[in-house]
Amino acid sequence: MTKNKIYSMMGLAMRAGKIVMGDETVLKAVRSKEAKLVLLATDAAPNAQKKYRDKCAYYQIPLVEYGSRSELGSAVGKIDRVVLAVTDAGFADRIAQCAVNPAEVE
């Protein structure tokens, strides 16, 4: 699956209302285990990277670092986004699978 299809999947999840964004909203979703996957921009600040890695590890939520902040923002129809949380297990599994092993997905 190409990058464009991964971003399309994120856009579809956004239109379905299955993505939350923003620092506090994502942290709340992680703490409540509502988040099934956290997407973090590869160009996020080191402090943000550490914060989300630690929180996701503690609450056992998968974390994928993928794309730049502008690419993540474009995928969900917003301006630059550093962090997104997917709240639907189906979307989360598909996006994570595509992001980690893009060649294995049709």
Side-chain angles (χ1 to χ4, degrees):
M1 185 172 265
T2 64
K3 267 189 163 187
N4 288 340
K5 289 188 180 181
I6 294 168
Y7 292 131
S8 294
M9 184 72 65
M10 289 180 203
L12 185 59
M14 178 67 182
R15 288 188 299 279
K18 302 300 182 184
I19 287 189
V20 295
M21 56 191 118
D23 189 50
E24 287 304 315
T25 310
V26 171
L27 285 176
K28 182 179 175 184
V30 168
R31 287 186 194 113
S32 68
K33 297 207 174 195
E34 180 185 356
K36 307 300 182 215
L37 173 70
V38 173
L39 293 156
L40 183 65
T42 54
D43 58 353
N47 288 345
Q49 290 176 354
K50 181 179 180 348
K51 175 170 61 174
Y52 285 104
R53 282 186 195 129
D54 292 349
K55 285 286 183 195
C56 289
Y58 181 80
Y59 289 99
Q60 299 177 341
I61 306 292
L63 172 75
V64 174
E65 293 184 40
Y66 192 84
S68 68
R69 61 182 67 209
S70 62
E71 290 171 333
L72 288 182
S74 293
V76 296
K78 304 289 182 184
I79 298 179
D80 297 357
R81 296 292 178 220
V82 174
V83 66
L84 306 169
V86 181
T87 59
D88 179 78
F91 280 121
D93 290 343
R94 185 77 170 158
I95 291 169
Q97 181 183 13
C98 294
V100 175
N101 297 312
E104 294 178 12
V105 180
E106 294 179 1

